[in-house]
């Protein structure tokens, strides 16, 4: 993948998959990341690139920044701990705001933000 900045269409052309991930704050700040897997094979596998990241102790800010990155990169899926009560409430609030905005004269259509669990988080 080139080091230059890519627009969303170019990024999708370069990436086999784009995923987002979030870890909620605790003793350390939480973080959100977006990664892209290169379409081209390299040494028998696909290279994975960090496209974006954000850290914060504030769960609400972290959820909001996930929303920003969701709009910017449209990851195929977001993974993370989905049963965090505070984060779930902030996600519901953010999605309600998106729903209201989608029915207004806004030209930006926001999709619903959802987290999917992974087996590794259940271990």
């Amino acid at each position: 993948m080139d080091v230059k900045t890519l627009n969303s269409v170019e990024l999708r052309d370069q990436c086999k998959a784009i995923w987002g991930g979030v870890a909620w704050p605790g003793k350390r700040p939480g973080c959100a990341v977006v990664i892209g897997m290169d379409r081209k094979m390299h040494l028998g596998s696909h290279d994975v690139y960090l496209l974006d990241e954000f850290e914060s102790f504030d769960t609400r800010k972290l959820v909001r920044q996930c929303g920003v990155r969701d709009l910017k990169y449209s990851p195929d899926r977001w993974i993370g701990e989905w049963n965090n009560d505070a984060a779930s409430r902030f996600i519901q609030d953010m999605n309600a705001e998106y729903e209201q905005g989608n029915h207004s004269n806004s030209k930006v259509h926001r999709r619903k933000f959802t987290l999917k669990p992974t087996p590794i988080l259940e271990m």
Side-chain angles (χ1 to χ4, degrees):
M1 191 181 305
D2 294 334
V3 178
K4 70 176 188 155
T5 302
L6 304 173
N7 67 36
S8 60
V9 173
E10 292 170 329
L11 184 62
R12 277 285 161 193
D13 287 343
Q14 291 283 328
C15 292
K16 179 176 180 161
I18 299 173
W19 281 30
V22 63
W24 304 119
K27 293 179 182 176
R28 294 182 160 180
C31 67
V33 297
V34 179
I35 60 170
M37 180 188 298
D38 198 348
R39 286 193 185 278
K40 299 174 193 158
M41 293 289 284
H42 181 247
L43 300 175
S45 65
H46 299 271
D47 289 335
V48 175
Y49 296 89
L50 176 65
L51 302 176
D52 208 337
E53 64 183 333
F54 179 79
E55 274 191 2
S56 180
F57 274 109
D58 185 325
T59 302
R60 183 178 182 281
K61 281 184 184 176
L62 192 55
V63 166
R64 291 291 182 177
Q65 289 301 314
C66 287
V68 168
R69 282 149 180 82
D70 189 59
L71 179 62
K72 182 175 181 180
Y73 297 100
S74 297
D76 302 320
R77 79 172 28 200
W78 279 89
I79 57 172
E81 183 186 347
W82 55 271
N83 58 355
N84 179 295
D85 291 338
S88 293
R89 179 65 188 162
F90 293 135
I91 290 169
Q92 287 174 355
D93 291 347
M94 182 173 68
N95 284 334
E97 289 174 23
Y98 291 172
E99 185 65 27
Q100 290 173 349
N102 288 339
H103 294 301
S104 70
N105 292 332
S106 174
K107 294 185 191 236
V108 176
H109 180 76
R110 304 283 302 251
R111 65 186 186 168
K112 184 178 176 182
F113 181 83
T114 58
L115 283 176
K116 305 284 185 199
T118 66
I120 198 164
L121 292 176
E122 302 300 322
M123 291 181 188

